[in-house]
Amino acid sequence: MAPSQWAVLDRVADLYAAGEFVEAEAEARALAAAPRVRGGDPWLVPWLATFWACAAAIAHGRGAQVLPELEAMIEAAAHMDGGLYLRGKLLEVQSDRVLVLVQQDRCAEAEAEALDILRAITRLAYFTEVWQSELETLAYLAGAVNGQGRHEEAEAIARGNLPRADEPTAAVLQRVLVDSLNGQGRYEEALAEVRRLAPLGRAGSGAADLATATALHGLGRRGEAEAAARSALAACEQFLHPDHPRIRDARMLLTRITAKDPDSA
């Protein structure tokens, strides 16, 4: 790959890290469509560029739209000779697909796929470092398990892996932990964990307030819950795509909180 193309990929990664998801996706897609330079592997540039484009779209809230691209990338990688480097990046693409499935409430599929990835990671661990992909996949597995109502199991996965996780995976595990506590009705514990949440960046916009609103609603503190839910919705609408599932969740929670109590009629 020419140095200029590496530089573009580095810039895309920087834009992604800064939460500039629209710009990151646009630059990645432009690179994917650019004419290939001579030398090197002709498939590597568009494949990596598409990887970043999809990652940016998912973080922004358009995961459902890029799911077919993720599946096409996984299929294409099966016919490429990229060695351990490609196999490592492929794990990231597969893990991103798990996240999208969780966001679409296809949690049983997400769980099965996450377990397949973890088995593949076990085989690769002898040849290359894959611990970051392993932790990311475990975080999404916890989300899939939690989405199926197995909150205690999700809590165990999150707590068991938090001590060895670096950012941003630690933030994802913390959010799953909070969600699992809310799912168990342990609202005071959930509120305590929310206060320990690491900075989430733009991809996590509204997540902490949404978890707080859920816990406060569970405790019957409706006024505080409504304020937190409105704050979550405002943050989501400011930084995330309108299709982001967190916007849907915030609106649904706000509707439940503000609905007239039938017992008061």
Side-chain angles (χ1 to χ4, degrees), residues 139-168:
Y140 299 154
L141 172 63
V145 168
N146 200 58
Q148 296 175 76
R150 290 149 51 197
H151 306 301
E152 296 87 349
E153 189 176 339
E155 179 187 359
I157 296 172
R159 289 194 188 278
N161 291 283
L162 261 170
R164 64 192 185 103
D166 293 335
E167 296 298 338

Side-chain angles (χ1 to χ4, degrees), residues 210 213-214 217 225 229 248-258:
L210 182 60
T214 302
H217 183 47
R248 173 204 63 199
D249 293 343
R251 286 175 175 160
M252 289 175 60
L253 178 59
L254 186 58
T255 297
R256 291 200 303 272
I257 293 170
T258 56

Side-chain angles (χ1 to χ4, degrees), residues 91 94 98 109-123 137 141:
L91 290 174
Q94 292 172 311
V98 172
E109 294 175 66
E111 179 184 4
E113 188 150 333
L115 292 173
D116 285 343
I117 295 170
L118 291 171
R119 282 189 284 269
I121 285 173
T122 300
R123 294 191 293 272
T137 302
L141 172 63

Side-chain angles (χ1 to χ4, degrees), residues 201-235:
R202 286 191 178 180
S205 295
D209 280 337
L210 182 60
T212 298
T214 302
L216 291 171
H217 183 47
L219 291 169
R221 295 157 60 178
R222 294 180 63 178
E224 296 170 81
E226 180 180 348
R230 291 192 185 282
S231 178
L233 182 58

